[in-house]
Amino acid sequence: MEIRNAPEELDLTDSTLIVGMLAENEPAPGAEDAYASADPALLELAKFEGKTGQVLTLPHSEAKAVVFVGLGEEASFETIRSGIGNAARVVKTGRAVTNLNQIPVDGATRAVVEGAALGGYQFRAYKTEGEGLSLETLELVDGDEEALAETVVTTEATNLARDWVNTPALDKAPEALAETIRAAAESAGLSVEVWDEDRIIDEKLGALLGVAAGSDRPPRLVVVEHRPEGAGAHLGLVGKGITFDSGGLSIKTAQHMEEMKDDMSGAAVVIAATIAIARLGLPVRVTTVVPLTDNAVGGKATRPGDVLRPVSGPTIEVLNTDAEGRLILADGLGVVRRYEPDLIIDVATLTGAAHVALGDKIAAVFGSSSDVAAQVLDAASRAGEHFWEMPLFEDYKKSMESDIADLKNISGGRYGGAITAALFLSSYVDGERWAHLDIAGPARSRETAGEHVKGASGVGVRTLVELARAMAAPA
Ligand code: BES
Ligand code: ZN
Ligand code: ZN
């Protein structure tokens, strides 16, 4: 879908109008004309009341049709993003026009573009009829030029992460995914280094190698760098890149395995965010590291009880091979720390426990200090993504002590699993400002609604871009 500003001379004849409507059928300010054109009997017939989630298509005197979008009691970025997302799926062909004057929130351009670009997303690479029906062009009347251009970048990056996560594991072996990442990152002007298995062995990334041991598809580690001139701050990103999580010898049940192609969401998100940051030309240095590997079962697979040596930090007794994300992240953190960033953020579909704690729509954030967590939460709220702070409760660290190694990779108990996983990771940073984002719940949307489309969500991309934007801003 192309999103652009409408020409001065607006011609509605071959287009569909999208109009915001407040609850109790109050037209949004400026939308009075479109509202007046609607037959009250048809509004009544559809019980259209301007509630959030409601969409109604009616005839229009000038345009092909008008799509009324419910914005709720009071329009906000959230209801606009969501309403336009719904509208983007209702109009399945041609051109649509929406008038920002009709949307009664200052600076709504970003929310409109997010709604349309994210809500209109489709993943059709594996459909025989590859070209789905979709809105081709959205024109904004009185849209903010700069916000439009920036939001096109962040939403394209989000959709790129969605594409990678939605791709079947068969078609994203570590080697293939690394090359896909290389191509995308290089075309955004980033510098890319791909470490193959020999390099990973030379570098002594023993935890990544331990997870990779059970697979016939060799691991990779990708380092992407954005080094703009005049950058003040330096952000380090690490993403979990498990290209399929079978659980390893501690194998998952069939049901728990179904969605495990998603387990490289963290990697997809940090790379896509880095690409967006480069495209936006944000003057902040970014170093992004993604370890990529399957977690498979094979004759050479790591066994429960084996001990792994990450590149730096504590040795690890692997008691459950399904707690593999923290293993590859230990090495990922070890690599990113060498670049001495001012702030390190890791992103991972790390624990079912985070999903249990916060549900499908909220991601967990753990910060090395409440200050770092607040930095992420602020960025998330500006980006319109939902994060919630969870505690790095030191007392629980005892449960990760191993009898024979420095740490074990599970706590042994069922409870507080997102916290113990985060505490484990904290052993692989050493005084750095660091935050861990556990996106196991919201990495996948379970239903299509508003800007969310069933499947990979790309959650985290826009938050990381906002975070970089804030780091780039002069203090
Ligand atoms: N990839 C999973 C976590 C996950 C679960 C992501 C559901 C998305 C949806 C992770 O590697 C895992 O298996 N974690 C285990 C850890 C346990 C063995 C301590 C879990 O959460 O059950
Ligand atoms: Zn696992
Ligand atoms: Zn996993």
Side-chain angles (χ1 to χ4, degrees):
M1 181 192 315
E2 191 197 346
I3 305 176
R4 60 179 184 226
N5 261 327
E8 294 264 330
E9 292 281 312
L10 190 63
D11 175 13
L12 288 180
T13 35
D14 66 340
S15 65
T16 305
L17 204 55
I18 299 176
V19 168
M21 193 73 96
L22 298 170
E24 311 298 340
N25 277 359
E26 279 277 335
E32 293 84 0
D33 285 358
Y35 181 63
S37 75
D39 182 342
L42 294 180
L43 290 171
E44 164 60 21
L45 189 70
K47 289 279 173 245
F48 184 86
E49 294 168 326
K51 290 182 178 157
T52 53
Q54 286 192 313
V55 191
L56 180 66
T57 310
L58 292 181
H60 188 267
S61 51
E62 271 179 82
K64 279 199 283 197
V66 52
V67 177
F68 288 112
V69 172
L71 298 180
E73 299 285 332
E74 224 177 301
S76 65
F77 293 144
E78 197 131 321
T79 68
I80 291 171
R81 193 184 296 119
S82 170
I84 298 288
N86 289 326
R89 286 185 300 274
V90 167
V91 188
K92 295 194 189 300
T93 169
R95 183 182 118 194
V97 176
T98 193
N99 185 337
L100 270 281
N101 289 323
Q102 296 175 341
I103 296 182
V105 179
D106 276 346
T109 299
R110 176 159 155 180
V112 169
V113 176
E114 285 171 344
L118 299 176
Y121 171 82
Q122 300 184 356
F123 183 68
R124 301 193 54 90
Y126 294 82
K127 294 279 189 192
T128 316
E129 305 282 325
E131 291 285 303
L133 294 173
S134 67
L135 174 59
E136 281 150 32
T137 312
L138 177 67
E139 289 185 350
L140 309 190
V141 178
D142 287 338
D144 178 285
E145 200 73 60
E146 196 179 324
L148 193 159
E150 287 183 3
T151 314
V152 165
V153 171
T154 55
T155 53
E156 277 181 3
T158 305
N159 287 339
L160 179 65
R162 288 173 168 187
D163 280 348
W164 289 346
V165 175
N166 282 329
T167 297
L170 173 65
D171 293 334
K172 57 182 179 197
E175 189 181 5
L177 183 56
E179 289 314 315
T180 304
I181 288 172
R182 187 206 293 275
E186 282 180 352
S187 75
L190 292 158
S191 63
V192 181
E193 219 178 80
V194 176
W195 296 6
D196 63 9
E197 194 173 19
D198 289 341
R199 174 82 187 265
I200 293 168
I201 293 168
D202 288 348
E203 299 276 356
K204 301 192 166 58
L205 307 188
L208 173 57
L209 289 166
V211 175
S215 177
D216 290 336
R217 311 198 296 185
R220 290 291 183 270
L221 182 133
V222 185
V223 184
V224 172
E225 285 188 86
H226 173 54
R227 300 198 66 166
E229 266 177 40
H234 182 185
L235 174 63
L237 298 175
V238 182
K240 172 177 173 182
I242 295 291
T243 41
F244 187 74
D245 185 8
S246 72
L249 287 175
S250 313
I251 199 162
K252 286 182 183 292
T253 61
Q255 201 201 338
H256 282 120
M257 221 186 281
E258 266 177 30
E259 297 181 348
M260 283 303 126
K261 71 173 183 181
D262 293 9
D263 217 19
M264 38 59 77
S265 298
V269 163
V270 296
I271 296 288
T274 310
I275 289 173
I277 290 165
R279 289 234 152 95
L280 294 171
L282 297 180
V284 53
R285 182 176 166 195
V286 184
T287 306
T288 301
V289 173
V290 293
L292 304 173
T293 177
D294 284 331
N295 185 25
V297 277
K300 296 187 176 126
T302 292
R303 293 149 289 256
D306 287 350
V307 174
L308 302 179
R309 293 178 190 276
V311 65
S312 53
T315 56
I316 309 161
E317 185 186 12
V318 178
L319 289 179
N320 188 317
T321 62
D322 196 13
E324 84 298 338
R326 61 198 76 183
L327 304 176
I328 69 166
L329 289 173
D331 274 335
L333 289 166
V335 172
V336 86
R337 284 178 58 210
R338 293 184 191 163
Y339 295 80
E340 301 185 346
D342 307 311
L343 171 65
I344 300 173
I345 310 271
D346 77 73
V347 184
T349 46
L350 201 64
T351 65
H355 192 180
V356 170
L358 297 173
D360 286 342
K361 296 188 178 172
I362 305 173
V365 48
F366 297 84
S368 57
S369 67
S370 49
D371 176 58
V372 176
Q375 206 177 336
V376 175
L377 292 172
D378 286 349
S381 90
R382 287 193 302 275
E385 295 189 319
H386 304 293
F387 281 78
W388 201 260
E389 185 178 359
M390 304 250 284
L392 280 171
F393 189 66
E394 287 289 324
D395 211 33
Y396 293 171
K397 232 178 180 168
K398 291 201 255 322
S399 66
M400 307 297 282
E401 283 168 10
S402 156
D403 292 338
I404 67 160
D406 300 328
L407 284 177
K408 55 185 180 179
N409 75 331
I410 50 167
S411 65
R414 283 176 58 203
Y415 300 117
I419 299 175
T420 47
L423 284 166
F424 178 95
L425 295 180
S426 73
S427 301
Y428 296 90
V429 288
D430 188 15
E432 285 102 340
R433 289 166 55 77
W434 159 74
H436 157 59
L437 315 186
D438 192 335
I439 57 168
R444 175 183 285 254
S445 301
R446 264 119 196 131
E447 56 184 23
T448 297
E451 73 273 30
H452 307 286
V453 176
K454 193 173 177 208
S457 70
V459 68
V461 172
R462 290 181 295 133
T463 294
L464 292 177
V465 173
E466 273 314 308
L467 190 85
R469 209 194 290 276
M471 286 175 80

